[in-house]
Amino acid sequence: MNAVLLIDTAGPAITIQDAGRPGYARYGLSAGGAMDPWAMAEGEALLGNPPGLAALEMAGYGGRFRMLHEPCWCALTGAAMQARLDGIPLPWRASFSFLPGQLLEIGPALAGVEGSGTYGYLHVAGGLDTPREIGARGTHVRAGIGGLDGGTLQSGTRLPLGTSGGADRTSSNLPLPEYLASRTIRVVWGPQSGRFRADTRDRLLKETFTVSHRRDRMAMRLDMAGADPFESLLTGLSDPAMTGDIQVTGDGCPTVLMREHQPTGGYPRIATVITADLAAVAQLPSGAPFRFALAARDEAVGALRDWQDGLGGMAERIRPIGQMDELLAQNLISGVVSANDP
């Protein structure tokens, strides 16, 4: 029998995620998928999983997990969260062996530290072996499909795992990626930017924003230091929307469309986050100040190539966790005193 992951206690927003369902927007379904594809690639590299397998996405808080029947190698990536295995702290962005009977506790995202963010990921060797729906296992919450019953996972859920080899693995980790600390998000002008006044476009690039608590996998509203709302344009044709579009709603609030955005939209989009910065904007903690910066087309294309090269070279950055590091992480002996003590 393959290993089974038991969600002993579920955090408020745990979903099964993978690479999503691109190509269905014309049928009214946005691609969805993991909010942070870089973190997904990290997990694949650490465990030797092929691309596209499903993992758990945890928004802000994890939960308590147990492994049943068989041991399994796992990895934690994305925004760092408090994590302990049978009470022993676990490093983030690293692989570890999860044995039957052990308790994995994943707490809140760590705030105020380098690389803090919102979405953390729990990966398992072989991936989560849940049913496919419309070509993928990932949950599209807005559409109510994928995962288990199309929604967030609940306490008591048992998730079957895929077959994996590598019983003779050793622990390894990856360095902290720079984008988790980024507070400058690059954009290009959006499809309706020309309808906004020049001073409104200038303000988008000069304003300091924070991410509102009104955020989910569909979109996140932005709070502004300035008291006045943005210029709002209430008339226009509904046309295709895409992840990263910054639409200005009727109350003048800029809102960034995320992975489960509506396939078409009538609110005008003043700008669009470049593809290479989509993970960075998704990981921004609520309340963290940030700014937008205008990118030229060549810069956006170059950043995308660098991003894709980074994904392709992920395995080259893996480093083993040496024996000494592992020993130092354990409390092997208690009650040791100085030889100078009487």
Side-chain angles (χ1 to χ4, degrees):
M1 178 180 291
N2 286 352
V4 170
L5 180 65
L6 168 65
I7 303 179
D8 194 44
T9 305
I14 301 178
T15 58
I16 296 171
Q17 294 301 334
D18 55 15
R21 299 172 176 84
Y24 289 93
R26 57 185 170 173
Y27 302 114
L29 179 66
S30 55
M35 295 287 278
D36 185 345
W38 184 277
M40 291 293 285
E42 287 181 324
E44 292 164 358
L46 285 167
L47 297 176
N49 284 342
L53 295 188
L56 289 185
E57 180 178 272
M58 304 169 288
Y61 191 93
R64 292 158 54 98
F65 308 87
R66 295 185 187 274
M67 192 62 63
L68 306 180
H69 306 310
E70 298 287 341
C72 182
W73 278 87
C74 301
L76 295 166
T77 68
M81 299 175 171
Q82 296 176 3
R84 293 178 177 270
L85 185 63
D86 277 353
I88 298 174
L90 284 174
W92 210 259
R93 217 158 281 100
S95 60
F96 61 96
S97 179
F98 193 178
L99 303 179
Q102 289 185 313
L103 175 64
L104 172 62
E105 298 174 281
I106 303 178
L110 298 174
V113 299
E114 183 182 10
S116 60
T118 300
Y119 293 94
Y121 295 84
L122 172 59
H123 309 259
V124 295
L128 300 173
D129 192 21
T130 51
R132 289 183 178 272
E133 189 170 2
I134 313 182
R137 291 186 169 91
T139 309
H140 196 299
V141 179
R142 288 288 169 175
I145 62 173
L148 294 179
D149 300 323
T152 57
L153 299 176
Q154 305 302 313
S155 301
T157 300
R158 297 182 178 222
L159 300 171
L161 310 188
T163 303
S164 66
D168 57 347
R169 302 170 189 260
T170 57
S171 297
S172 57
N173 66 3
L174 281 163
L176 178 71
E178 294 181 358
Y179 74 91
L180 282 174
S182 176
R183 295 298 180 261
T184 299
I185 303 299
R186 293 168 291 183
V187 299
V188 294
W189 289 126
Q192 288 87 33
S193 61
R195 295 185 57 206
F196 290 91
R197 298 191 306 264
D199 62 316
T200 301
R201 296 194 299 270
D202 289 343
R203 182 184 174 189
L204 182 77
L205 303 177
K206 294 177 180 179
E207 185 83 57
T208 297
F209 296 95
T210 56
V211 179
S212 166
H213 289 283
R214 297 174 64 182
R215 63 185 299 180
D216 58 16
R217 289 181 47 80
M218 180 180 180
M220 58 186 195
R221 288 169 62 92
L222 305 181
D223 291 331
M224 300 162 285
D228 296 332
F230 266 57
E231 172 191 8
S232 60
L233 305 173
L234 299 181
T235 59
L237 297 175
S238 181
D239 61 352
M242 62 184 293
T243 305
D245 278 350
I246 303 171
Q247 66 180 16
V248 180
T249 55
D251 58 359
C253 178
T255 302
V256 184
L257 302 186
M258 305 308 292
R259 298 288 173 180
E260 294 184 9
H261 62 82
Q262 68 276 22
T264 61
Y267 288 123
R269 277 99 68 202
I270 189 172
T272 301
V273 177
I274 68 172
T275 302
D277 283 4
L278 287 176
V281 73
Q283 288 286 17
L284 286 170
S286 296
F290 76 97
R291 300 183 71 174
F292 291 116
L294 186 64
R297 181 182 182 279
D298 289 347
E299 180 185 354
V301 171
L304 177 58
R305 288 173 178 161
D306 291 343
W307 170 269
Q308 292 171 333
D309 289 345
L311 291 176
M314 189 77 70
E316 300 172 5
R317 292 188 290 278
I318 292 177
R319 57 193 182 216
I321 298 178
Q323 183 179 10
M324 183 57 68
D325 293 318
E326 293 177 316
L327 289 174
L328 291 174
Q330 310 297 322
N331 181 20
L332 300 178
I333 304 173
S334 62
V336 175
V337 296
S338 168
N340 296 324
D341 289 343

